[in-house]
Amino acid sequence: MLISISLLILFLPLLSFLILIFFGKKLPRQGDWLGTAILIICLGLAFYVLLNTGASDKFNAIYNWIDLKDAPGFGPVKINLGILIDNLSAIMLVVVCLISAAAHLFSTKYMEGDAKYNRYYAYLGIFTFSMLGIVLTDNLLMMYIFWELVGLTSYLLIGFWYENPGPQYASKKAFIVNRIGDVGFFTGIMIVYVFTKSFTFSEIFAAIEAGQLTGGWLTAAGILIFCGAIGKSAQFPLHVWLPDAMEGPTPVSALIHAATMVAAGVYLVTRTFPMMSASALTFIAYIGLITAFISATIAITQNDIKKVLAYSTVSQLGFMIMALGVGAYTAGFFHLVTHAAFKACLFLGAGSVIYGMHHEQDIRNMGGLKKKMRITYLTFLMATMALSGVPLTSGFLSKDSILAGTMAFAGLTGGFNYIIPILAFLSAGMTAFYMFRLVFLTFHGEPKNKEKFDHVKESPLPMTIPLIVLSVLSFFVFFSYNPIDANIGWFAKYVPAVQTVVPEAQRFDFQKGTTEHIVNAESPASETHGENPAAVEENHSAFTEAVHHAHYPAMGLSLFVAGMGILLAFAFYKWKKFSADAVAEKIKPLYTFSLNKWYFDEFYEGVIVKGLLMLTQAFRWFDNKVVDGVVNGAAYVTERSSSGTGKFDNSFVDGLVNLIGSVVMFFGLIFRKIQTGRIQTYLAYVLFGIILFYFIFRTM
Amino acid sequence: MINNILSFLIFLPIILSIPILFFKAGKDKLIKTYTIAVTIVVFILSIILYFGFDASKSDFQFVEKVQWVTDFNIFYFLGVDGISLLLILLTTLIFPVTILAVWNSITTRTKEFYFLLLILEGSLIGVFLSLDLILFYVFWELILIPMYFIIGIWGGKNKYYATVKFFLYTMFGSLLMLVAIIWLANYATPMIGKFTTDYTELRKVSIFMPLNIQMWMFIFFGLSFAIKVPMFPFHTWLPDAHTEAPTAGSVILAAVLLKMGTYGLLRFSIGLFPLTFVRFAVPIAILGVIGIIYGALLCIAQKDMKKLVAYSSVSHMGFIVLALAGMTVESVQGGLIQMVNHGLSTGALFLFVGFIYDRRHTREIADYGGLTKIIPIFASLFLVVCLSSIGLPGLNGFVGEFMILAGSFASPNLHNNIYTILGTIGIVLSAVYLLWMYQRVMLGPVENEANRNVPDLNKREIISIIPILLFIVWIGVYPNTFLSKSEASVKRVIENVEAAKKNILNIY
């Protein structure tokens, strides 16, 4: 039953795509109502699935895709595609359908009158289909398939306004950068497949637990699969595509580049979390940390409202990834869910502002909008508080869990790893600062562009309803009835930490010690420690206890940094105690470095892209001159030598023949001259001959 | 008739090509209708063959064997297995599609063109069905003649250079093959007790020949196949031939002719000399990987659309070579389905380049830009084909590439997975060159005024491309339909290789 419903949720958006792409133009309002209605139905169904799926339920359906039966030397080759509904996918179903429905509704006004209106809705439909595919799959292969489809639909939507150079460049860049990550993902899948002979998550985990994939290969597989997440979730060093992707329509940014597609990478790591070895997790944690920190420093100086939000998204994705890396499994996924709601709200709010300002995106030209756009302002503010980690918001709960997780991790592993919580808190503080900077510059103060400001109106209902819904969802009550502790909320209970399946030697010490202890103490014979409930319980507690201890210090610190960030924003942009420009002037090198996004694009463009192009030119030369040169050279030599042979044949062999001919001819000519046919001449010759002979013989 | 269906497949187009010569000149429409009708009949025949084929058997089916040259035991010997079945289907599908798609492109000497096309179809089918080496060789050489004229008469600016290069290059290869055939049959004479060129007889004894002799025969056979594939560094005839050929020629060249090379490697190089093939697996894989990356990098550097597609063939065929070198069931099955995929995708890419060339008479990428706005149907279908070539999941290319890479990754014959890992780079590069081309040609503002009035695809062109799109999606979504047909045959090839490895190595 749940399987059929989830299949319905999966395929309804595809149906929407098919109807709209082929018949959209003929439908009233080009079918936007159809797409929106379908998504609202999906949302209802998704809630039904969520309510009927218990925390430990697993519903699975399998469909055979490729069957090669028994392969010599390998064993049976059977590739299945399947659907899995468990706590993770049930929650993600709701998230994806909710944000997608919001974006659909919002777009009915935002995109109204666009030349390719029906196509736009069709693309939204197929995007939602692909995203739901990622969510519902039970195996890596299907994950990869939908993963690529998401990449394609993102390509189509970023490049939706392909007449302009910006979108066409950005869409191609997004696709290719994602593909680079996907090569890693693909290789990782192959390693897993070769060792475990399966793509299905549960079978892979069982095989790893049974010791079929261990050591360096296990770590490599983990890191390579994570490469997919580096691409999709815009992690350092492949984060460069996401800010550029803002060239797409703003509701698309809200749906794809804030809440769902970019969350796919985090979801992937969540799904594969049990097979990540300690080294892989450390790698993941540091990538997340670097991403969170770098993009927070960039977001501070950006002036395009969507670019600020884009870098903030990259930074928050870094937080989620980092959380998973340090083992705060629940916290990472929790932040994914809360972030989806308030970040979508922020993007749609930005869309509302851009709509009101007639496609003005530069916050330096805004200001004072709070008077004219009351609803947009309030919802935006609410979401900003959630993102900054102000108490009573959902963001406070989830970010606090992450920060506590980093502290616990640093405490358990020690040493250099203390850098993780330090930079994480710093980034959290910067988050609060740049978000309030954005609010002040956009909504407070005096309007900078009088002319545009005069025409600003609050956006119509189809745009404000999604804003209200999403901002309300940023309150803590939807996730935990205790505003300062997420651990006792339903979410933490619904998504408990999972047991790792990697071999003992490849776990963190804090994971290792407890299990060994349990196994030794209770039943030395028991080898299936992973399935031992007591072991699971105990193993959790090592990390959970550390988190528990870290909880209050983390909360205090996080309140402090968020407060400092907000305070600084007030000081700079509200009370005008300091001039932002003067400070920027003082730290000019740092400022320009941040403004230019750490020069990542310049580096990639100048070194990698240019290098590749030069390489292709060199290869072209090589192919034309050398490889083909050999062929043409062989032809040339053959032709030359044949013409040489020809010459030889002509002048020597034939020449000899001709020479003989010529000699004969010469004498012939002479003899012809001689043989005139006249008797007198012959008589003269005879006479001449006699005289000749006379002289010859006389001398003898 | 069903017993002689293979002969019908070969000789129906060849014999029915003759009446074309007696048609009145100028009756172009009649000639075209007649030709397409013949190719459709051949296609229907191949469908009958498909349904008559028993996928559970790995032996050759519908076998026809008649003594041809009595003194030398050369046979007229035909048979089909799962491997050739898919290639036959590809061939018979591509011909009517191409003829319909380029309906109005050929305006001069129509009679000769369609006459040659039918001869070409018959001989191509002959190559895939022949089980006697001399018969195979005859069809193999016969193909050169129509192709030589198709490029040489209806080709572009450099057609003479291209067609002579094509002819001589492939001729050079096939002469070595002839030497190898005679040598092999001679060497086998004492082992079999008679001189024969029967493939099924020869493959029973060829594995027992001394390895150094096998090696030379393998090289002679392999070289001619390598040129046809084409494998790096024997590929340079291909961009010239493709670029200069008329659209129909390019499509058939890419879709079917190149498959002769990989088919030959699979049927004869691996079939006759399994152990030698395994010994050479690593260098072959290296050449395949070089082809993948090198071809893709060259694509990026091209300014001419047709040349770009031509070089993409080098890259895609590299995957198939890697698949064969891997020699596992998944990789060879993947390689086989990739042969079909490449035929469909690259064939379609050439058709699209041809469509646009017919309208604007230029292939320079720089002459275009912003076409999506002007010709939306063309743009959408072209994008689907590009994505299929890029290997997007859900479309055919992905299935092939995926199976090849997954199969060769763990191949015991390659000892190392570095080749596969390097091969995956091709996945990124294919996205780079095709999407970049698409961006420059289709997206952006219309800068060249000459492009303003380009008409969109007409009904005939759309209909012609639909069968290809259908198979692109079908294979992408449910490849088992086709994979199940070739499964038994491929497995048998692999089993032979494994058995050879075991038995022969024990002897030495």
Side-chain angles (χ1 to χ4, degrees):
Chain A
M1 181 62 187
L2 278 183
I3 293 287
S4 342
I5 290 179
S6 62
L7 282 175
L8 201 61
I9 300 175
L10 176 63
F11 284 108
L12 274 176
L14 184 67
L15 182 74
S16 155
F17 163 74
L18 291 173
I19 295 175
L20 292 177
I21 197 95
F22 290 115
F23 312 107
K25 278 229 155 69
K26 291 174 194 138
L27 294 172
R29 280 195 59 88
Q30 304 208 13
D32 59 353
W33 51 273
L34 181 75
T36 313
I38 281 183
L39 252 298
I40 290 172
I41 294 171
C42 285
L43 179 60
L45 293 173
F47 269 116
Y48 179 83
V49 172
L50 177 63
L51 293 176
N52 285 288
T53 308
S56 52
D57 282 346
K58 285 194 195 307
F59 304 101
N60 201 225
I62 290 168
Y63 153 81
N64 184 241
W65 189 48
I66 293 175
D67 187 0
L68 299 180
K69 311 220 172 67
D70 227 22
F74 190 84
V77 179
K78 204 166 187 174
I79 300 173
N80 291 325
L81 303 183
I83 295 256
L84 172 68
I85 302 174
D86 62 357
N87 50 359
L88 295 182
S89 49
I91 287 180
M92 281 303 284
L93 274 186
V94 172
V95 170
V96 172
C97 291
L98 174 72
I99 310 292
S100 183
H104 271 81
L105 184 61
F106 190 89
S107 302
T108 53
K109 281 290 161 201
Y110 191 86
M111 296 298 287
E112 203 169 31
D114 195 280
K116 293 167 288 181
Y117 193 62
N118 70 313
R119 197 168 270 250
Y120 172 78
Y121 270 93
Y123 288 167
L124 285 189
I126 194 167
F127 168 76
T128 311
F129 162 72
S130 331
M131 189 63 212
L132 290 170
I134 291 186
V135 169
L136 283 172
T137 177
D138 76 334
N139 65 76
L140 279 172
L141 179 66
M142 202 162 122
M143 179 82 109
Y144 184 80
I145 291 175
F146 283 104
W147 192 263
E148 290 284 297
L149 278 180
V150 162
L152 165 73
T153 44
S154 157
Y155 169 80
L156 293 172
L157 281 166
I158 296 171
F160 187 69
W161 288 316
Y162 53 73
E163 300 85 351
N164 308 325
Q168 46 158 305
Y169 173 76
S171 61
K172 186 190 65 185
K173 179 171 171 181
F175 193 92
I176 291 170
V177 170
N178 265 299
R179 266 248 156 161
I180 295 172
D182 291 350
V183 164
F185 186 15
F186 191 86
T187 315
I189 294 177
M190 283 194 298
I191 293 177
V192 169
Y193 176 67
V194 163
F195 282 96
T196 68
K197 300 193 167 58
S198 174
F199 293 108
T200 313
F201 293 121
S202 53
E203 289 173 20
I204 292 172
F205 296 157
I208 292 175
E209 198 155 29
Q212 289 181 20
L213 171 55
T214 54
W217 282 114
L218 179 62
T219 300
I223 289 177
L224 284 167
I225 288 178
F226 174 61
C227 281
I230 294 184
K232 274 276 176 305
S233 287
Q235 297 296 295
F236 166 84
L238 298 181
H239 62 280
V240 289
W241 67 270
L242 185 61
D244 284 21
M246 296 300 133
E247 295 282 358
T250 307
V252 166
S253 311
L255 170 62
I256 300 186
H257 306 120
T260 55
M261 166 177 168
V262 289
V266 181
Y267 184 71
L268 172 68
V269 180
T270 316
R271 271 268 174 247
T272 52
F273 184 81
M275 59 167 284
M276 295 292 179
S277 66
S279 326
L281 283 175
T282 312
F283 180 81
I284 292 171
Y286 275 96
I287 290 286
L289 177 72
I290 294 169
T291 313
F293 180 72
I294 290 182
S295 38
T297 63
I298 297 174
I300 289 178
T301 56
Q302 298 305 305
N303 290 318
D304 181 314
I305 184 167
K306 286 182 76 180
K307 283 267 160 76
V308 177
L309 292 178
Y311 278 104
S312 140
T313 306
V314 176
S315 179
Q316 297 305 309
L317 291 165
F319 269 99
M320 299 170 206
I321 294 286
M322 174 177 68
L324 293 168
V326 299
Y329 173 83
T330 310
F333 190 62
F334 187 28
H335 197 52
L336 162 63
V337 175
T338 58
H339 174 262
F342 57 71
K343 188 47 77 56
C345 180
L346 286 172
F347 265 106
L348 292 180
S352 175
V353 167
I354 295 167
Y355 185 78
M357 293 285 287
H358 295 280
H359 297 283
E360 175 63 62
Q361 296 194 188
D362 193 327
I363 49 175
R364 286 170 300 190
N365 297 330
M366 296 179 184
L369 288 175
K370 77 169 182 180
K371 286 177 218 122
K372 290 206 156 187
M373 306 181 91
R374 207 70 204 160
I375 303 176
T376 306
Y377 168 64
L378 286 175
T379 53
F380 199 92
L381 187 63
M382 180 63 218
T384 299
M385 290 201 287
L387 179 53
S388 310
V390 173
L392 301 183
T393 62
S394 61
F396 173 74
L397 289 175
S398 56
K399 194 175 279 182
D400 189 44
S401 312
I402 293 180
L403 292 172
T406 59
M407 277 178 82
F409 179 75
L412 286 167
T413 53
F416 186 71
N417 286 342
Y418 273 104
I419 190 94
I420 297 179
I422 292 171
L423 286 184
F425 277 104
L426 209 57
S427 310
M430 285 191 278
T431 309
F433 175 76
Y434 66 68
M435 281 315 296
F436 274 87
R437 167 181 178 263
L438 182 64
V439 169
F440 289 137
L441 285 177
T442 313
F443 294 99
H444 290 253
E446 288 306 306
K448 318 252 177 9
N449 188 335
K450 231 12 193 164
E451 204 182 313
K452 281 201 169 167
F453 181 76
D454 289 340
H455 294 100
V456 173
K457 284 197 302 265
E458 179 57 280
S459 301
L461 270 185
M463 289 170 75
T464 49
I465 289 174
L467 290 179
I468 295 168
V469 171
L470 291 171
S471 68
V472 167
L473 285 176
S474 311
F475 278 104
F476 70 95
V477 282
F478 296 98
F479 303 98
S480 165
Y481 52 82
N482 183 340
I484 55 163
D485 194 354
N487 284 327
I488 53 172
W490 71 269
F491 193 95
K493 294 208 169 66
Y494 193 63
V495 187
V498 290
Q499 172 66 21
T500 176
V501 296
V502 301
E504 284 291 313
Q506 288 181 273
R507 298 183 186 183
F508 284 119
D509 283 338
F510 59 82
Q511 293 174 318
K512 204 182 311 189
T514 49
T515 9
E516 262 173 5
H517 173 72
I518 293 294
V519 171
N520 291 340
E522 279 193 2
S523 53
S526 158
E527 292 190 6
T528 55
H529 51 263
E531 283 158 18
N532 186 333
V536 174
E537 194 71 17
E538 193 64 26
N539 189 24
H540 281 182
S541 63
F543 188 73
T544 340
E545 200 158 303
V547 170
H548 194 69
H549 286 307
H551 181 62
Y552 286 101
M555 194 166 65
L557 261 176
S558 110
L559 277 174
F560 172 72
V561 292
M564 282 306 285
I566 296 170
L567 200 68
L568 271 176
F570 263 94
F572 273 109
Y573 299 101
K574 181 74 181 166
W575 306 324
K576 305 269 160 77
K577 292 268 178 210
F578 321 97
S579 154
D581 294 337
V583 175
E585 195 56 42
K586 235 177 211 157
I587 50 163
K588 189 126 200 192
L590 278 178
Y591 174 76
T592 41
F593 193 59
S594 158
L595 187 67
N596 288 303
K597 306 146 194 166
W598 290 41
Y599 296 98
F600 274 105
D601 281 319
E602 284 75 6
F603 174 73
Y604 289 155
E605 197 66 42
V607 178
I608 295 175
V609 176
K610 215 168 242 157
L612 183 71
L613 285 180
M614 270 158 65
L615 188 69
T616 64
Q617 290 300 336
F619 271 44
R620 197 167 109 115
W621 176 87
F622 178 77
D623 200 54
N624 282 339
K625 302 290 171 197
V626 181
V627 183
D628 205 22
V630 171
V631 178
N632 285 336
Y636 179 79
V637 169
T638 316
E639 199 208 358
R640 277 289 102 183
S641 61
S642 67
S643 101
T645 319
K647 277 215 182 92
F648 176 77
D649 196 53
N650 260 334
S651 43
F652 191 77
V653 182
D654 205 24
L656 216 62
V657 178
N658 286 343
L659 186 69
I660 294 167
S662 307
V663 170
V664 174
M665 196 103 106
F666 175 71
F667 284 105
L669 268 177
I670 292 173
F671 288 124
R672 201 167 71 204
K673 282 269 184 295
I674 295 170
Q675 286 170 351
T676 59
R678 273 182 295 191
I679 199 81
Q680 309 93 299
T681 325
Y682 293 141
L683 276 176
Y685 289 153
V686 170
L687 195 67
F688 179 70
I690 293 169
I691 293 169
L692 200 67
F693 276 111
Y694 169 77
F695 278 108
I696 290 171
F697 288 107
R698 199 193 61 153
T699 51
M700 290 175 74
Chain B
M1 188 190 120
I2 192 84
N3 292 331
N4 296 328
I5 190 166
L6 301 186
S7 292
F8 273 98
L9 274 169
I10 297 173
F11 289 103
L12 201 73
I14 293 183
I15 291 169
L16 290 183
S17 71
I18 296 166
I20 294 182
L21 296 176
F22 299 100
F23 281 31
K24 265 210 186 92
K27 293 244 176 201
D28 286 4
K29 208 168 167 198
L30 187 68
I31 295 171
K32 290 181 218 169
T33 319
Y34 172 80
T35 317
I36 203 165
V38 172
T39 54
I40 288 174
V41 170
V42 176
F43 180 60
I44 293 170
L45 272 182
S46 69
I47 300 277
I48 295 173
L49 178 70
Y50 175 85
F51 285 111
F53 182 83
D54 182 356
S56 62
K57 288 189 195 136
S58 63
D59 281 332
F60 291 106
Q61 301 177 29
F62 298 97
V63 171
E64 293 172 41
K65 192 170 183 181
V66 181
Q67 194 92 336
W68 186 21
V69 182
T70 329
D71 293 344
F72 294 107
N73 291 308
I74 297 172
F75 295 93
Y76 172 75
F77 184 14
L78 305 176
V80 66
D81 68 350
I83 295 167
S84 41
L85 180 73
L86 292 185
L87 294 171
I88 295 289
L89 282 171
L90 175 69
T91 312
T92 56
L93 172 74
I94 286 293
F95 270 83
V97 163
T98 311
I99 292 169
L100 186 65
V102 300
W103 197 252
N104 293 325
S105 304
I106 301 296
T107 47
T108 53
R109 311 180 72 169
T110 327
K111 252 161 77 165
E112 289 90 332
F113 185 79
Y114 289 98
F115 168 73
L116 290 170
L117 226 46
L118 285 182
I119 302 265
L120 186 62
E121 180 172 19
S123 22
L124 276 169
I125 297 173
V127 165
F128 296 131
L129 291 179
S130 300
L131 292 179
D132 184 284
L133 291 178
I134 292 293
L135 187 67
F136 172 77
Y137 181 77
V138 167
F139 283 122
W140 179 276
E141 289 293 83
L142 194 58
I143 279 155
L144 288 182
I145 298 163
M147 212 58 220
Y148 174 79
F149 287 115
I150 286 175
I151 301 175
I153 297 177
W154 295 274
K157 260 179 264 157
N158 278 324
K159 56 188 179 185
Y160 300 120
Y161 170 73
T163 197
V164 169
K165 190 172 178 181
F166 163 75
F167 193 94
L168 289 181
Y169 213 141
T170 40
M171 185 83 166
F172 169 73
S174 35
L175 282 178
L176 289 178
M177 179 161 72
L178 183 62
V179 172
I181 291 173
I182 294 168
W183 188 9
L184 174 68
N186 247 326
Y187 205 91
T189 308
M191 301 165 101
I192 302 175
K194 62 183 180 196
F195 182 97
T196 179
T197 54
D198 179 339
Y199 167 71
T200 51
E201 291 279 336
L202 285 173
R203 75 170 170 189
K204 281 183 206 146
V205 297
S206 60
I207 48 171
F208 298 107
M209 292 176 183
L211 282 181
N212 59 333
I213 296 207
Q214 271 196 45
M215 182 183 84
W216 284 109
M217 292 181 189
F218 174 83
I219 289 175
F220 281 11
F221 269 104
L223 209 57
S224 89
F225 299 139
I227 291 170
K228 207 81 178 186
V229 171
M231 271 156 77
F232 175 87
F234 309 111
H235 63 277
T236 54
W237 63 268
L238 176 126
D240 286 310
H242 267 121
T243 319
E244 297 308 325
T247 303
S250 313
V251 174
I252 292 165
L253 199 57
V256 192
L257 253 77
L258 303 188
K259 308 304 163 319
M260 291 162 60
T262 43
Y263 170 79
L265 282 173
L266 183 54
R267 173 76 77 221
F268 299 104
S269 293
I270 297 174
L272 290 169
F273 316 107
L275 206 58
T276 313
F277 191 88
V278 170
R279 281 174 68 206
F280 279 86
V282 170
I284 291 172
I286 290 173
L287 286 184
V289 171
I290 292 178
I292 294 173
I293 296 173
Y294 184 81
L297 286 176
L298 283 169
C299 281
I300 298 175
Q302 298 308 316
K303 298 186 175 72
D304 177 315
M305 280 159 86
K306 214 170 175 185
K307 239 184 186 150
L308 190 151
V309 180
Y311 273 110
S312 82
S313 283
V314 177
S315 184
H316 281 116
M317 296 304 282
F319 276 104
I320 303 174
V321 172
L322 177 64
L324 298 181
M327 256 304 112
T328 61
V329 175
E330 296 107 306
S331 78
V332 174
Q333 278 278 56
L336 191 58
I337 205 79
Q338 190 70 354
M339 290 187 209
V340 178
N341 291 338
H342 175 261
L344 296 170
S345 307
T346 310
L349 281 177
F350 274 120
L351 283 183
F352 276 98
V353 175
F355 290 153
I356 200 73
Y357 180 79
D358 281 352
R359 287 162 167 74
R360 286 275 291 106
H361 296 284
T362 169
R363 296 186 307 249
E364 288 289 310
I365 293 173
D367 287 341
Y368 295 104
L371 290 183
T372 304
K373 253 202 137 65
I374 302 163
I375 45 175
I377 302 176
F378 178 96
S380 317
L381 300 183
F382 187 39
L383 184 61
V384 174
V385 172
C386 283
L387 292 171
S388 126
S389 190
I390 289 174
L392 189 84
L395 302 177
N396 59 349
F398 172 71
V399 178
E401 278 174 12
F402 164 76
M403 291 181 70
I404 291 171
L405 294 172
S408 59
F409 191 85
S411 166
N413 302 318
L414 296 181
H415 312 295
N416 197 326
N417 39 37
I418 185 71
Y419 315 111
T420 310
I421 291 172
L422 288 174
T424 53
I425 296 174
I427 299 182
V428 177
L429 292 176
S430 71
V432 172
Y433 62 75
L434 278 171
L435 287 185
W436 194 33
M437 190 254 283
Y438 192 83
Q439 181 200 351
R440 284 177 293 170
V441 174
M442 306 306 299
L443 305 181
V446 185
E447 266 156 14
N448 190 340
E449 282 306 311
N451 292 326
R452 283 255 179 244
N453 299 317
V454 173
D456 207 342
L457 294 185
N458 58 35
K459 281 219 176 75
R460 167 181 58 77
E461 287 164 330
I462 295 174
I463 291 171
S464 72
I465 209 79
I466 280 177
I468 293 191
L469 294 175
L470 180 77
F471 282 104
I472 282 178
V473 176
W474 188 343
I475 297 177
V477 175
Y478 195 69
N480 233 1
T481 320
F482 305 97
L483 288 173
S484 62
K485 285 281 175 187
S486 57
E487 184 196 309
S489 309
V490 167
K491 219 166 264 174
R492 180 177 176 151
V493 173
I494 306 297
E495 271 158 10
N496 283 346
V497 172
E498 296 298 319
K501 262 160 81 177
K502 230 177 262 156
N503 299 335
I504 306 295
L505 287 181
N506 285 346
I507 294 172
Y508 283 90

